[in-house]
Amino acid sequence: MFNIDRFDSRILQALQRDARLTLGALAEAVSLSPSQCSRRIARLEKEGIIEGHALRLNPEALGLKVTAFIFLSVDKGRMAAPREAVAELLARDEVIDCHTVTGSHDFILRVVVADLAELSRFLSTTISPMAGIRDIATQVAMDTLKVNGPLKVVP
């Protein structure tokens, strides 16, 4: 855990809302000088608190209308290295997120595809043939209410 003060917290909150803020606008929003903000941002990046800057795209505007969550259980006896086996899935463009989880499944994938037919193809040609998969459960999102909300930053 890194030492984050109230100014760092304000900077992180502001940048999560709008990563394109100019240094001047950020400085004004957090009541610091632009040079102080710049130094703090550089430190937060060096410490790994800020991992990068990304662009969010609208999936529907790109024709990607189906978001699905795929729950995978693996047979550890047939799959020597589950994380390595799942690594091939991580390289697929359809896979947006992958998490190891507790409970009845080992992994949860979030995939985004054009339609249900593409989801079916992905399941049947990519996931089902994988050696060591014990169980696959899929849930399709009906509507997305919030994506990539800001993290709570406590000084």
Side-chain angles (χ1 to χ4, degrees), residues 75-91:
D75 182 349
K76 290 165 181 79
R78 290 184 37 219
M79 188 181 277
R83 284 181 185 243
E84 286 76 17
V86 173
E88 74 181 61
L89 288 176
L90 303 183

Side-chain angles (χ1 to χ4, degrees), residues 52-69:
H53 307 269
L55 178 68
R56 286 194 313 254
L57 302 176
N58 179 332
E60 285 201 27
L62 296 171
L64 302 170
K65 298 181 188 288
V66 174
T67 297
F69 297 90

Side-chain angles (χ1 to χ4, degrees), residues 72 74 78-79 82 84-89 107 109 123-134 136:
L72 300 177
V74 298
R78 290 184 37 219
M79 188 181 277
E84 286 76 17
V86 173
E88 74 181 61
L89 288 176
F107 298 94
L109 306 173
L123 288 165
S124 64
T125 63
T126 303
I127 294 184
S128 293
M130 288 180 64
I133 297 294
R134 182 171 29 98
I136 302 168

Side-chain angles (χ1 to χ4, degrees), residues 4-154:
I4 296 175
D5 65 18
R6 65 187 172 100
F7 290 108
D8 292 335
S9 177
R10 289 179 188 166
I11 289 169
L12 294 170
Q13 291 294 347
L15 290 176
Q16 283 187 95
R17 284 190 301 277
D18 184 359
R20 294 182 67 181
L21 280 175
T22 65
L23 206 48
L26 177 63
E28 186 175 320
V30 301
S31 302
L32 287 174
S33 71
S35 61
Q36 288 174 314
C37 283
S38 179
R39 283 192 298 274
R40 284 174 178 268
I41 290 168
R43 180 181 53 80
L44 292 165
E45 288 173 341
K46 183 179 178 194
E47 290 176 351
I49 294 168
I50 296 175
E51 291 184 333
H53 307 269
L55 178 68
R56 286 194 313 254
L57 302 176
N58 179 332
E60 285 201 27
L62 296 171
L64 302 170
K65 298 181 188 288
V66 174
T67 297
F69 297 90
I70 302 172
F71 302 81
L72 300 177
S73 298
V74 298
D75 182 349
K76 290 165 181 79
R78 290 184 37 219
M79 188 181 277
R83 284 181 185 243
E84 286 76 17
V86 173
E88 74 181 61
L89 288 176
L90 303 183
R92 297 291 304 242
D93 290 338
E94 299 92 340
V95 177
I96 306 304
D97 296 313
C98 179
H99 304 273
T100 58
V101 294
T102 61
S104 60
H105 294 92
D106 299 301
F107 298 94
I108 296 177
L109 306 173
R110 178 169 60 110
V111 301
V112 178
V113 293
D115 53 33
L116 291 174
E118 187 177 342
L119 176 62
S120 180
R121 275 191 302 280
F122 179 74
L123 288 165
S124 64
T125 63
T126 303
I127 294 184
S128 293
M130 288 180 64
I133 297 294
R134 182 171 29 98
D135 183 48
I136 302 168
T138 304
Q139 294 184 353
V140 175
M142 299 300 289
D143 197 7
T144 299
L145 304 177
K146 184 176 183 179
V147 177
N148 297 328
L151 297 174
K152 182 177 179 181
V153 182
V154 180

